[in-house]
Amino acid sequence: MRTSRRSLLSAAAAAAALAVATVVVPGAASAASPVVPRQERAVSGRPSFPVGADVSGPRGGLFGPTSVWRQDVRSAPVNPNSRALVAGLHEQVSTLYNGVAAFNVSNYSTNVYSVAATQPRVDVAWDNCQKKTYTPKGLLGPGGQFTAVPIPDDAVPARGSDGQLTIYSAATDQLWEFWQAKRVGGRWQACWGGRIDRVSTSPGYFSDGFGVAATGLSFSAGAVGIKDVQAGSIDHALSLQVVWPAKWTTFSWPAQRSDGFSTDPNAIPEGLRFRLDPSVDVEALNLTPIAKMVARAAQKYGFIVTDKAGAVALTAESGSAVKAATGVDPWTKLMGGTPHYEVMRGFPWERLQALPMNYGKP
């Protein structure tokens, strides 16, 4: 199910520049994502990466404990309009795609490369696929968002037309996210993206109109990670994409902007937080193991509305980078034979609670 990719410098952004119990999936421990040195990747037809590169993201997410993605919301107050907001979200889930929210793991997700300090850096070319009439300030050149990126030559963008790719360097405490990334004529290029410096202390969003999500929030931060599921616990907030977000002029922190369009007075603003009612007994729910992990995370850290899409959707880290390195997609085992479109069946969307607008804003 496709994540809609709008003009990422939306009207709001153009004007500016111009964030318990554990269920372990059976067998998951043996499916841990590898850190595979070059010599062990000398398999015909498969990419090779620098020594120490890891073809998946770190467990527990990319950002530190002070970020919006790690904020405990169990004791947060409830939005006065929570009932209407939750009803609207529940309607969006129940009326589309057989009443099951999407679990975007096969397409419209992102691959995450945790690169070593020794990874060579290259400049990423700007593919002006949106036909802008100007070069966005700060994108290219010295210190630019696309300058000196430690991206492996044979990195694999996630499947789908969004072609998203995330590069994380713990050594330099930096994160890059790219939209429509591809390698052309031996050189990397992307249509849009951005860089976050000092990731460990960052609030978890991009500034100045950069970043691949419509809200400017980190796209990869709220994804269900491979290592999260292997460990049996998601220890960060989750990105939530909705179908009919409120018009772009109304959004809630930590969103930095919006591409919403609905003028319904009860439309969900991008950036709004939801949590699963902490009184819900997750163990009693008839859910897949992954959906139970999502439910526990939603009770403690909640969902953050990051984007619009053709269906209510969660994002999972793509397994295609691991498959490119090892020949095996880890999600095949982690989902235990459940199709990706059935992973979230039975999730109690009607038991969510909306948090106040701009909750947690300093």
Side-chain angles (χ1 to χ4, degrees), residues 160-175:
S161 59
D162 287 345
Q164 295 186 149
L165 181 63
T166 298
I167 306 296
Y168 170 64
S169 172
T172 60
D173 204 18
Q174 291 176 299
L175 173 72

Side-chain angles (χ1 to χ4, degrees), residues 48-307:
S48 60
F49 303 98
V51 173
D54 189 341
V55 290
S56 65
R59 180 176 182 269
L62 296 161
F63 293 91
T66 61
S67 75
V68 300
W69 300 101
R70 300 281 296 278
Q71 188 172 7
D72 189 331
V73 299
R74 287 176 292 186
S75 60
V78 176
N79 191 308
N81 198 34
S82 178
R83 186 182 298 272
L85 292 163
V86 172
L89 178 61
H90 186 226
E91 180 184 12
Q92 292 181 43
V93 175
S94 61
T95 58
L96 295 168
Y97 298 99
N98 298 315
V100 184
F103 186 70
N104 284 347
V105 63
S106 295
N107 292 292
Y108 312 111
S109 51
T110 188
N111 278 330
V112 181
Y113 286 81
S114 299
V115 298
T118 54
Q119 173 63 49
R121 292 176 174 251
V122 298
D123 292 346
V124 174
W126 178 41
D127 172 22
N128 187 15
C129 69
Q130 296 175 324
K131 308 302 181 186
K132 291 179 171 61
T133 58
Y134 61 96
T135 300
K137 183 179 179 181
L139 183 67
L140 306 174
Q145 304 286 304
F146 280 22
T147 301
V149 183
I151 180 170
D153 288 347
D154 293 324
V156 180
R159 292 188 295 266
S161 59
D162 287 345
Q164 295 186 149
L165 181 63
T166 298
I167 306 296
Y168 170 64
S169 172
T172 60
D173 204 18
Q174 291 176 299
L175 173 72
W176 291 260
E177 293 183 354
F178 296 103
W179 176 55
Q180 293 196 359
K182 52 190 173 184
R183 190 168 166 83
V184 178
R187 185 180 184 188
W188 279 102
Q189 66 178 44
C191 182
W192 199 242
R195 183 189 71 235
I196 293 178
D197 297 325
R198 297 177 291 278
V199 174
S200 58
T201 57
S202 167
Y205 50 76
F206 294 83
S207 59
D208 300 323
F210 294 110
V212 304
T215 53
L217 286 156
S218 169
F219 184 86
S220 53
V224 177
I226 293 169
K227 290 188 178 74
D228 292 338
V229 177
Q230 289 170 342
S233 179
I234 303 168
D235 300 323
H236 56 80
L238 297 161
S239 294
L240 189 66
Q241 299 155 18
V242 301
V243 185
W244 302 300
K247 189 176 178 180
W248 63 270
T249 51
T250 300
F251 56 90
S252 177
W253 189 89
Q256 303 298 292
R257 56 188 191 259
S258 170
D259 67 345
F261 59 89
S262 176
T263 57
D264 187 308
N266 294 316
I268 299 168
E270 292 186 0
L272 193 72
R273 288 178 175 265
F274 290 91
R275 71 167 175 226
L276 180 61
D277 185 340
S279 71
V280 171
D281 182 0
V282 173
E283 291 306 311
L285 299 175
N286 183 22
L287 299 174
T288 65
I290 291 176
K292 283 191 175 183
M293 294 180 209
V294 169
R296 294 191 190 91
Q299 286 183 316
K300 184 173 182 180
Y301 302 103
F303 297 105
I304 304 177
V305 179
T306 58
D307 225 319

